[in-house]
Amino acid sequence: MNRSSGIRPRPLRRPVRGPALPAAVLLALVLVGCSDPEGGGAAHGEPELGEVAVAPATASLSLPLDAYTDTDAETVRMGQVQQRLLSRCMARYGFPYEEVRPTGPAGAQGREGRHRVLFGAADPEFAAAHGYDVNAGKGPPVRPPAAPLSESAALVMHGERPGGQQGAAQPPDAPTEEEAAQVDSGIDVGGQKVPAGGCVREAYRKLYAPTKDSVDLLFPFGLASEAHERSKGDSRVAEVLKSWSACMEKSGYTGLKDPYEVVQKLGLEADPGGPKAVTAAKADVACKREVNLVGIWAAVEAAYQKRLVEEQAETLALYKKQREARYKLAAGLL
């Protein structure tokens, strides 16, 4: 997710002291510094890179779009706000609603852990202990069962009558709260109109889409996904993947083209944290470090994100402003 004309690459970061880097790493770093055939910084060519760290820990990775993404704690907090808005809506119709306290999984990490598996297994200690079991040490989200609702309460909550025929027209909804004010749901309860989509949708709209110019909640995520897909086709990533694949082949794992297919191709789905998976994951991480896959790919991905951030600067500025408004709303409700 950036436009990079005018971006000057910073010097490559190499350790001042310590053992010499493997030849594969040095080759990869040289390749990163080369200009692409379409002009490097051109808007439609491969972007020039900034600093390329050597075998960085994924916990230390910072990408441009991180500034627009909530941490796990912030996500939980927004879930609590949404529940509070839902409770207030239900109360308008005389229905008590016990808020479900949204929680993250045990061991959830903040901003520093969001890229832990962006490029597959990358942490030597985690790989040695858990292989490819990304959920190791995490419990499922704790969600107490919701209290049963009466038919009228369910109608208010969801904005649709139970037992509707399959294929029947759905009750009207609205993308934003501003537009919802002009929509007649066609449903009355206790002499009051039920909001379009019920209280569930109203709570969402008030928090994430209050006005017609509200930016989609998933807009930054979409940009991040786009940058990642673009990075996969970058020549510098392709080169380091070849080096990683050759390293894995030397370790006895043949036919692997990228880190995302390891579990499936090696038949580790049933026991991603077992001995076989641990052995493979340790080799995988060692090869990534040998060829500097994480350092190079992260630099490439950051460059594509930077380009998209610049291209979408106006929309992202509006998104950031609206996100700050959500935080102010949260401060007044919780």
Side-chain angles (χ1 to χ4, degrees), residues 66-84:
D66 291 352
Y68 306 92
T69 309
D70 288 350
T71 63
D72 287 342
E74 289 165 342
T75 299
V76 168
R77 189 162 178 253
M78 289 302 103
Q80 293 170 345
V81 173
Q82 196 170 344
Q83 284 288 302
R84 183 61 50 86

Side-chain angles (χ1 to χ4, degrees), residues 79-155:
Q80 293 170 345
V81 173
Q82 196 170 344
Q83 284 288 302
R84 183 61 50 86
L85 291 170
L86 173 56
S87 177
R88 288 188 171 191
C89 178
M90 294 293 288
R92 293 203 313 264
Y93 297 85
F95 296 110
Y97 174 74
E98 185 176 349
E99 297 175 25
V100 177
R101 304 299 291 177
T103 62
Q109 300 183 34
R111 205 178 305 274
E112 70 282 355
R114 64 180 61 190
H115 304 307
R116 184 168 63 90
V117 293
L118 181 59
F119 308 114
D123 183 333
E125 292 183 5
F126 189 91
H130 307 293
Y132 292 101
D133 187 1
V134 296
N135 294 314
K138 295 182 180 180
V142 180
R143 292 184 180 275
L149 299 173
S150 67
E151 185 174 319
S152 294
L155 184 59

Side-chain angles (χ1 to χ4, degrees), residues 52-58 61 115 119-123 240 285 288-289 291-300:
V52 179
V54 175
T58 52
L61 295 182
H115 304 307
F119 308 114
D123 183 333
V240 77
V285 172
K288 285 190 176 85
R289 294 173 72 83
V291 303
N292 198 28
L293 183 145
V294 174
I296 293 171
W297 200 338
V300 172

Side-chain angles (χ1 to χ4, degrees), residues 244-246 248-249 252-258 261-262 265-266:
W244 170 83
S245 179
M248 289 294 283
E249 188 166 351
Y253 301 100
T254 59
L256 297 173
K257 295 181 180 179
D258 66 58
E261 64 180 18
V262 175
K265 280 205 169 182
L266 297 184

